[in-house]
Amino acid sequence: MSQSHRLINEGLINRNKEIVFKFNGKKYIGYEGDTLASALLANGVHLVGRSFKYHRPRGFFGAGVDEPNAKLQIKLNNHSEPNVNATEIELVEGIEATSQNCWPSVEFDIGAINNFLNKFFPAGFYYKTFMWPKSFWYKVYEPFIRKAAGLGIASLKKDKERYEHKYEYCDLLVTGSGPAGLSSAYSAAKNGAKVILAEDKPRFGGSLLTDDVTIDNLSGKAWADKIITELKEMPNVIVKNRSQVFGYYDHNMMVMFERTGDHLKNKPKYTPRQRLWYIRAKEVLLSTGSIERPIVFGNNDTPGVFLSAAAKEYIKVYGVLVGKKPLIFTNNDSAYETALEFKKQGVEPVILDTREEQSSELIDNVKNQNIEIKFSYAVIAANGYKKVKSAQIGKLNKDKTGFENNEIIECDCICVSGFWTPTVHLASQSGNKLKFNDQIDAFVPDKSKQNETSIGASKGTFNLKETLEEGFKTGFEVSKNITNNNNSISIPNSNEAKKISHDKFWCSPLPKGKNFKRFVDFQNDVAVSDIEVALREGYRSIEHVKRYTTLGMATDQGRTSNLNGLQLVADVEKKIVPQVGHTTFRPPFTPITIGTIVGREVDMEYMPIRKTPMHTWHKKNNAVFVDAGAWKRPRYYKQGNETLFEAAKREAKNVRDHVGICDVTTLGKIDIKGPDAAEFLNRVYTNAWLKLPVGKARYGVMLREDGIVMDDGTTTRISENHYHMTTTTAQAANVLSHLEYYLQIVWPELNVNVISTTEQWAGAALAGPKSRDVLAKLFPNLDVSNEALPFMGYVEGDLFGLKARIFRISFSGELAYEINIASDYGLFMWEKIMEAGKEFNIQPYGTEALSTLRIEMGHVAGPELDGRTIPYDVSLEGLVSKKKDFIGKRSLQKEAFNKDGRQKIVGLVPLDKKSSIPEGSHLVVDKNAKLPNPKLGHVSSSCWSVENNNPFSLAIVKDGKNMIGKKLFAVSPLKNTAIEVEIISSHYVDHEGKRVRS
Amino acid sequence: MLNIKCPYCGDRSQKEFAYGGDGTIIRPELNKDISDEKWDEFVYLRKSPRGKHIELWHHIAGCRQWFKVQRDTVTHEIFKTAKMNEEIK
């Protein structure tokens, strides 16, 4: 098959390995080592997409990260990814690429009518047009804009690829492997530093791959290969290609994106597709190089217009001609190198140079090769719709504000060079305030805020000899400070053609009566006229101009458009660029996939899962689990076709009638030891703790300093100076931090140690009138009578040779015990309890029944202790000591906390005794009142009372104390319910607490 | 992500720590009378300085010690870290 634009000998591709791929449904052939862009260009394909706003035909413009146009939808290995840069993706067998932003096809795109309506799409079009009527926004405007705009289509399928994260630490991170990066990495590595060298492209060498230079009497590429080979062999160096350092964060945290799998045809199973590196570097050397900037001219977005360095790269790296009749348009010497490369391939370019006739090594060389140069010339406009066919050119007048003539010159591509822009993104991200260098008309790094140094072209050093000097010197000096070694290497000699200064010409004027679109930002379709409109309409700050016109806001971050945009603003405003300033550079430097950000944290690894030792038993017995933080807790044990509601009722009823068992391993457990432990608890809890005897448990409430209830739980005195504290499942971690805070910071004089033992103990709650019978059977040698083990008592028992802790505490309000055993024996204990309980009708119960039991008993939990309630609000004021001080006590004196009519917990029953009240319902006097309906309180917890066989809820309501007997409405706009309720006591079962003491 | 030097464990990434607020706040002594204003100031009022700030961090995924960090709230530069019983001047 023909690769009409492929050269026979030139390039670094592997001609022995043909690769078949598809573009817009058509088959093409390229070679291993191609990018998608170079392979398409080799086949003479230029038209790759349609522009964002006007749907104008667009072709390739750059050869790497500089590419603004060629964003394709890529299908590979069953996944589809939008907005992939064709100039960066390596060609692999089976790639299917399609153009974006066009319908029905890139050749014939209906949206292109926008191009003819462009008068109606000025800057700020969206802001101006879609403002009113307001009601149109969601139904009409937004769907329309979404359909018309946007680039590719995100896949709705699950991404089956593997992504990874990696952490690395180094002395020196070098970002970019051009001459500056190679020399600095090499000299630092030779001086003993731990170095990471990162290169975005598959091939190392940067500009050395394309420039006609020698170092150490080797060609640029040969020297790069030699250095890389040596670096790879050094144990203190990590060399990474296909790796883009895209973010510079605090304390020299660099984030790098490595394409580990996209270039492999048969990727091994455990090789990730992409890898995200977090690199903490002591020093960062930014050798990110520079990007050529275009000169703006009429219809400069026509396919066939290239950056001149990109044209050179296509020849030198890929052996591809971007055109066979090139027109080169430049304001500086570097495009002459491109001309020479064309000439070497037998192609005759014509050069237009905006400068007046002059002489330099390169210019003379070109002249000697009989290449035609037209000085003081510029391109007025490109001709051609889907491809450059010719160009209108003209001789510039003296002050370069107009043309003396208008000629047509035949050409099939225009290679443009408007000089070089240092890639300062990472430096700027690091906090470096940039400064303007008017020698090169671009911003360069100024003073460092973090440990970073820019070297080479990224700081505006465009000369090889100086770049190497900087690289070797900086690599040595920076590493010396870290390693204290002193091995410096001599700087190799080098040779390149000398260049003379560029012309500050960046935009071709419009000839009289002509109205060509001259694009500044290709990706977002921002033309010179758009920026002029924004300025005319009064936008002054460059940040505002950017947002109003969307200049530089596309995925290419304005890499080729920023400076020209700033120039334009400066010219209109009669300022200079540094007065205009620049917009903010933010990470990521290039777009990265969501998959890489997520890494391995998907599916099972989305978050850590905590399972209790009894988990397998629950699973075997049809438990339906619920997440409690990271824990999996049985919500209910499903029997047959039971619903959640039915199961919870059954399980709760069985506790009230017989005996139930619940896995309470997840409760937070904190071991507290030390001679001052009692004093400490006395300060932490609101109630008194100094006199708790050994072998007794006590319920305690702890506050925050602002008087709000933080958590509750029981704490047991195991021995003289040893306590076992329990917390709620949700607050376990916070309570531990809270205790540590007071012990380490506020009262360091207290001799107390705390440590979490949540994972060390498995716990089972045994609840119900028959629980003592089960316990007696389990511990035949233990006296478990009410006298020997009363309510709030604690004993240690022997469970088949294992030490068990038995607490007589109750959350359900029934006679109940909690048995703890070393975690490894949790399942054993559980099975023994089930065995012993069989004759007493024991059944496991889940969190739903657990809630039912505690709600109808009026015990508060998370929904009541919601970070807004003080002890009074949840009827725990009886536990607040008047005698001693404790954390948060002073706040309880606050006026609002003591006002008449303060909110308080109450119980609710629906008048019809049938309707369940949705949690979160608001309590109001009149369900039909005008909105906003004054709210008296809210429903915090709801259940079906198994004791009374009707719904029951807890609510926190204004003046709850005096509301008993009143009737209100519980309204829930979300569930569309309004239920008439009666307010009753929050204790719906066993008011006197007889059962727990029985 | 900040790099924080725990006075007990050495340099660690921010991921291992929890922020604990202003490190210069002293809790009023227990069992002593205190005016509403002073108590209010202790519970609620915090300065939000631009620049150097002494703050508390808790090495929750490490040694579980609370300690002091002197950090620039604008640049995030960390000047010093210290144990609770050490002064930062």
Side-chain angles (χ1 to χ4, degrees):
Chain A
M1 215 179 279
S2 78
Q3 293 188 39
S4 56
H5 286 68
R6 185 76 74 177
L7 296 164
I8 295 165
N9 291 316
E10 194 65 59
L12 309 173
I13 44 170
N14 179 9
R15 284 188 174 74
N16 296 322
K17 183 85 186 56
E18 286 194 343
I19 290 177
V20 182
F21 67 101
K22 269 188 183 173
F23 174 63
N24 285 337
K26 209 172 146 192
K27 259 189 195 165
Y28 296 94
I29 289 178
Y31 293 125
E32 187 180 79
D34 261 326
T35 61
L36 191 52
S38 68
L40 284 169
L41 285 168
N43 286 283
V45 177
H46 283 257
L47 175 62
V48 284
R50 291 279 175 160
S51 74
F52 189 63
K53 206 156 90 181
Y54 304 121
H55 292 248
R56 287 164 71 104
R58 288 285 164 83
F60 303 99
F61 185 68
V65 293
D66 48 353
E67 176 59 47
N69 293 334
K71 315 281 168 187
L72 300 178
Q73 185 92 25
I74 300 291
K75 251 187 167 174
L76 181 65
N77 300 330
N78 291 324
H79 73 251
S80 181
E81 190 178 351
N83 309 336
V84 176
N85 224 351
T87 54
E88 292 182 88
I89 183 165
E90 291 172 69
L91 198 65
V92 282
E93 194 78 35
I95 278 193
E96 287 180 39
T98 42
S99 298
Q100 305 179 152
N101 204 30
C102 53
W103 185 83
S105 79
V106 69
E107 291 285 341
F108 178 73
D109 176 16
I110 283 183
I113 196 158
N114 288 1
N115 190 30
F116 303 103
L117 301 175
N118 72 58
K119 283 205 174 68
F120 304 107
F121 285 87
F125 169 71
Y126 291 91
Y127 297 112
K128 288 167 181 161
T129 310
F130 298 118
M131 291 299 291
W132 50 264
K134 210 175 156 191
S135 61
F136 266 41
W137 179 249
Y138 287 109
K139 282 185 183 144
V140 183
Y141 293 150
E142 200 198 347
F144 167 74
I145 294 171
R146 281 198 188 284
K147 197 155 171 266
L151 297 163
I153 298 156
S155 173
L156 295 174
K157 284 191 199 141
K158 184 182 162 70
D159 187 347
K160 287 182 185 150
E161 294 282 359
R162 184 185 176 92
Y163 301 87
E164 280 181 1
H165 286 184
K166 185 176 165 68
Y167 292 81
E168 196 55 78
Y169 300 83
C170 64
D171 295 331
L172 208 62
L173 171 65
V174 182
T175 61
S177 71
L182 285 176
S183 54
S184 56
Y186 187 70
S187 88
K190 283 282 181 191
N191 202 27
K194 190 182 171 197
V195 175
I196 298 177
L197 173 63
E199 169 57 45
D200 166 38
K201 293 196 166 184
R203 296 173 185 84
F204 295 98
S207 61
L208 295 176
L209 297 177
T210 55
D211 286 1
D212 193 7
V213 299
T214 64
I215 304 175
D216 222 357
N217 303 319
L218 297 168
S219 74
K221 170 156 191 320
W223 185 77
D225 288 346
K226 187 188 121 195
I227 297 289
I228 284 293
T229 309
E230 219 176 309
L231 283 174
K232 278 183 176 166
E233 277 163 13
M234 294 173 78
N236 54 327
V237 182
I238 296 174
V239 176
K240 280 282 157 195
N241 56 343
R242 302 188 172 94
S243 297
Q244 171 83 64
V245 177
F246 67 80
Y248 200 132
Y249 296 89
D250 289 316
H251 298 182
N252 269 26
M253 168 61 81
M254 311 296 291
V255 187
M256 179 169 95
F257 170 69
E258 183 188 5
R259 302 185 301 276
T260 40
D262 283 350
H263 61 291
L264 301 174
K265 192 187 162 194
N266 295 311
K267 183 165 68 70
K269 192 177 171 198
Y270 292 109
T271 298
R273 179 180 171 221
Q274 288 159 348
R275 183 183 285 135
L276 195 70
W277 291 59
Y278 295 92
I279 302 171
R280 184 83 70 180
K282 285 185 187 144
E283 290 282 343
V284 176
L285 294 189
L286 300 170
S287 50
T288 45
S290 56
I291 289 174
E292 198 169 27
R293 58 178 181 261
I295 301 175
V296 178
F297 56 87
N299 298 331
N300 55 337
D301 62 330
T302 312
V305 177
F306 285 85
L307 287 171
S308 101
K312 188 170 72 170
E313 187 170 337
Y314 283 117
I315 296 173
K316 296 283 282 183
V317 177
Y318 305 104
V320 169
L321 286 176
V322 301
K324 293 179 179 174
K325 212 167 170 18
L327 179 66
I328 291 171
F329 176 30
T330 186
N331 68 3
N332 70 91
D333 274 13
S334 59
Y336 284 75
E337 293 173 339
T338 307
L340 289 168
E341 295 299 340
F342 272 117
K343 180 79 184 180
K344 267 191 221 163
Q345 305 302 335
V347 173
E348 294 292 339
V350 176
I351 299 177
L352 305 187
D353 192 330
T354 61
R355 297 174 294 186
E356 276 154 40
E357 172 136 20
Q358 51 198 306
S359 160
S360 77
E361 199 180 331
L362 273 165
I363 295 172
D364 296 347
N365 196 351
V366 163
K367 279 183 183 163
N368 291 339
Q369 304 250 356
N370 294 320
I371 296 171
E372 188 186 354
I373 311 173
K374 288 171 173 279
F375 287 103
S376 297
Y377 260 74
V379 174
I380 299 168
N383 291 336
Y385 182 57
K386 288 179 191 166
K387 179 75 197 297
V388 171
K389 289 196 177 105
S390 62
Q392 299 179 43
I393 61 171
K395 192 167 177 29
L396 290 159
N397 62 16
K398 201 102 197 230
D399 55 6
K400 297 181 182 172
T401 53
F403 292 97
E404 290 177 2
N405 64 348
N406 188 336
E407 309 166 23
I408 302 275
I409 183 167
E410 287 218 356
C411 58
D412 62 357
C413 69
I414 301 172
C415 304
V416 60
S417 175
F419 209 51
W420 296 85
T421 307
T423 306
V424 293
H425 297 61
L426 290 174
S428 176
Q429 285 178 27
S430 79
N432 193 316
K433 295 265 175 265
L434 309 173
K435 65 180 175 199
F436 193 75
N437 176 340
D438 55 15
Q439 293 292 304
I440 62 169
D441 283 328
F443 286 96
V444 292
D446 195 6
K447 280 198 197 89
S448 296
K449 283 270 164 34
Q450 300 202 41
N451 297 334
E452 51 87 22
T453 315
S454 289
I455 46 175
S458 70
K459 75 177 262 258
T461 308
F462 295 138
N463 163 311
L464 180 64
K465 189 160 173 286
E466 284 170 38
T467 295
L468 291 173
E469 275 167 19
E470 265 175 39
F472 277 98
K473 218 175 104 210
T474 314
F476 169 69
E477 273 166 12
V478 167
S479 61
K480 192 175 83 178
N481 293 334
I482 299 170
T483 64
N484 292 320
N485 291 342
N486 216 352
N487 310 322
S488 73
I489 350 175
S490 59
I491 301 163
N493 62 49
S494 62
N495 198 1
E496 73 169 337
K498 282 197 188 66
K499 298 188 180 90
I500 57 168
S501 60
H502 74 289
D503 180 19
K504 294 171 190 277
F505 182 91
W506 61 275
C507 180
S508 290
L510 279 179
K512 271 197 188 113
K514 296 283 183 188
N515 199 16
F516 301 116
K517 275 258 172 221
R518 294 173 298 168
F519 284 93
V520 178
D521 181 330
F522 296 105
Q523 209 184 341
N524 267 354
D525 262 6
V526 181
V528 171
S529 50
D530 293 316
I531 297 170
E532 287 169 348
V533 165
L535 294 166
R536 257 202 319 275
E537 292 184 1
Y539 288 89
R540 287 295 173 269
S541 155
I542 187 65
E543 294 282 4
H544 292 159
V545 172
K546 167 181 167 177
R547 280 155 185 77
Y548 194 59
T549 61
T550 70
L551 170 71
M553 283 173 67
T555 62
D556 73 339
Q557 293 211 341
R559 275 186 266 282
T560 52
S561 63
N562 261 338
L563 269 167
N564 285 339
L566 297 178
Q567 278 288 0
L568 178 61
V569 173
D571 284 5
V572 175
E573 296 271 287
K574 301 208 167 22
K575 284 180 181 167
I576 51 172
V577 171
Q579 290 172 322
V580 174
H582 60 84
T583 54
T584 313
F585 296 94
R586 292 190 179 86
F589 173 66
T590 50
I592 60 169
T593 59
I594 297 288
T596 323
I597 298 171
V598 174
R600 301 282 299 130
E601 291 169 22
V602 290
D603 298 334
M604 287 286 286
E605 285 81 29
Y606 175 62
M607 62 184 287
I609 293 172
R610 299 175 88 181
K611 293 176 187 166
T612 76
M614 292 80 106
H615 189 85
T616 49
W617 190 95
H618 303 321
K619 238 181 140 173
K620 249 187 263 166
N621 288 273
N622 293 327
V624 176
F625 292 94
V626 62
D627 291 334
W631 289 104
K632 295 276 176 206
R633 297 193 73 178
R635 192 171 183 192
Y636 62 102
Y637 299 82
K638 194 180 173 101
Q639 292 187 358
N641 289 326
E642 262 181 343
T643 61
L644 163 70
F645 179 70
E646 289 160 355
K649 248 167 58 172
R650 169 181 53 76
E651 290 171 7
K653 187 98 176 57
N654 192 63
V655 171
R656 294 266 183 253
D657 293 346
H658 308 285
V659 57
I661 177 176
C662 182
D663 187 347
V664 291
T665 306
T666 62
L667 283 188
K669 303 177 206 81
I670 298 170
D671 209 55
I672 302 175
K673 276 182 179 166
D676 297 321
E679 172 63 25
F680 180 53
L681 290 171
N682 209 42
R683 296 179 185 185
V684 167
Y685 282 128
T686 61
N687 45 345
W689 284 81
L690 295 178
K691 287 176 186 156
L692 180 71
V694 172
K696 284 283 183 192
R698 183 165 284 175
Y699 175 72
V701 177
M702 59 178 81
L703 307 186
R704 313 188 308 213
E705 291 287 16
D706 62 0
I708 299 292
V709 178
M710 180 178 179
D711 198 41
D712 67 342
T714 57
T715 293
T716 306
R717 193 166 197 174
I718 304 284
S719 67
E720 181 64 22
N721 295 327
H722 184 194
Y723 290 80
H724 172 83
M725 175 187 274
T726 65
T727 73
T728 57
T729 302
Q731 289 290 340
N734 289 344
V735 170
L736 184 65
S737 289
H738 179 75
L739 300 182
E740 286 168 336
Y741 176 90
Y742 283 92
L743 284 173
Q744 293 174 24
I745 298 174
V746 184
W747 303 310
E749 69 278 9
L750 291 184
N751 191 353
V752 180
N753 273 301
V754 292
I755 192 168
S756 165
T757 52
T758 304
E759 305 268 338
Q760 276 64 38
W761 296 101
L766 199 58
K770 293 281 191 273
S771 57
R772 183 179 290 124
D773 298 328
V774 180
L775 196 71
K777 206 173 153 194
L778 274 175
F779 298 95
N781 301 323
L782 200 65
D783 182 357
V784 295
S785 66
N786 201 23
E787 292 71 39
L789 181 56
F791 181 53
M792 287 307 207
Y794 165 77
V795 286
E796 280 169 17
D798 180 321
L799 187 79
F800 300 90
L802 301 167
K803 194 181 101 175
R805 288 176 166 183
I806 305 162
F807 308 85
R808 188 170 162 192
I809 53 179
S810 175
F811 193 42
S812 58
E814 292 297 326
L815 169 68
Y817 304 88
E818 272 182 37
I819 313 173
N820 280 6
I821 200 154
S823 281
D824 287 352
Y825 303 102
L827 181 59
F828 172 79
M829 168 183 73
W830 185 274
E831 284 171 342
K832 286 293 164 200
I833 297 173
M834 287 303 295
E835 219 176 284
K838 204 169 174 192
E839 59 172 295
F840 305 104
N841 287 326
I842 196 168
Q843 277 186 25
Y845 63 101
T847 56
E848 203 67 23
L850 182 81
S851 296
T852 296
L853 294 165
R854 72 96 188 162
I855 292 167
E856 63 175 1
M857 198 52 71
H859 287 167
V860 294
E864 287 76 36
L865 310 182
D866 64 354
R868 295 180 292 183
T869 47
I870 57 169
Y872 173 88
D873 303 347
V874 286
S875 287
L876 293 173
E877 65 271 28
L879 286 172
V880 176
S881 169
K882 296 217 164 63
K883 288 179 193 147
K884 56 139 194 174
D885 200 359
F886 53 84
I887 295 169
K889 184 176 189 184
R890 180 64 179 79
S891 289
L892 295 179
Q893 293 175 21
K894 265 196 273 191
E895 205 181 321
F897 290 172
N898 294 287
K899 252 194 176 160
D900 283 348
R902 175 77 198 174
Q903 63 176 7
K904 200 171 186 56
I905 189 167
V906 295
L908 299 179
V909 188
L911 290 193
D912 65 4
K913 296 273 173 106
K914 277 195 300 231
S915 309
S916 286
I917 307 162
E919 288 171 352
S921 295
H922 281 194
L923 293 169
V924 298
V925 176
D926 176 4
K927 67 173 177 177
N928 296 318
K930 232 177 91 186
L931 296 176
N933 195 342
K935 171 194 163 192
L936 295 180
H938 72 278
V939 176
S940 54
S941 301
S942 287
C943 73
W944 183 277
S945 167
V946 290
E947 182 93 6
N948 298 295
N949 203 24
N950 56 253
F952 175 73
S953 296
L954 294 174
I956 292 172
V957 61
K958 217 181 253 179
D959 200 17
K961 200 167 85 175
N962 300 313
M963 292 291 278
I964 308 291
K966 296 241 164 74
K967 291 184 179 113
L968 293 174
F969 285 94
V971 296
S972 171
L974 271 178
K975 308 257 168 165
N976 204 19
T977 52
I979 299 162
E980 195 167 15
V981 295
E982 185 183 347
I983 297 185
I984 59 170
S985 157
S986 61
H987 300 289
Y988 201 34
V989 175
D990 189 23
H991 293 256
E992 291 117 41
K994 277 186 186 155
R995 296 181 191 177
V996 292
R997 292 183 175 80
S998 62
Chain B
M1 197 172 0
L2 305 184
N3 189 44
I4 301 171
K5 187 174 183 178
C6 168
Y8 301 92
C9 309
D11 282 323
R12 294 289 190 277
S13 266
Q14 186 183 342
K15 270 192 167 180
E16 295 186 14
F17 300 89
Y19 180 68
D22 191 334
T24 62
I25 302 294
I26 294 168
R27 192 199 188 273
E29 272 183 62
L30 288 167
N31 300 308
K32 282 232 172 111
D33 284 344
I34 179 169
S35 68
D36 285 350
E37 287 72 28
K38 285 273 174 228
W39 181 257
D40 211 49
E41 199 178 305
F42 158 65
V43 175
Y44 298 106
L45 299 184
R46 295 292 180 272
K47 292 200 177 83
S48 182
R50 180 187 166 86
K52 280 190 182 177
H53 184 229
I54 293 177
E55 55 204 18
L56 297 175
W57 287 77
H58 189 198
H59 199 182
I60 48 165
C63 63
R64 293 212 58 99
Q65 294 298 305
W66 288 87
F67 61 95
K68 292 187 241 185
V69 174
Q70 187 185 40
R71 183 180 64 103
D72 190 303
T73 57
V74 180
T75 64
H76 298 311
E77 185 182 351
I78 291 177
F79 306 100
K80 263 182 198 161
T81 60
K83 296 177 180 175
M84 284 313 302
N85 60 4
E86 294 169 347
E87 287 290 309
I88 292 185
K89 275 175 190 159

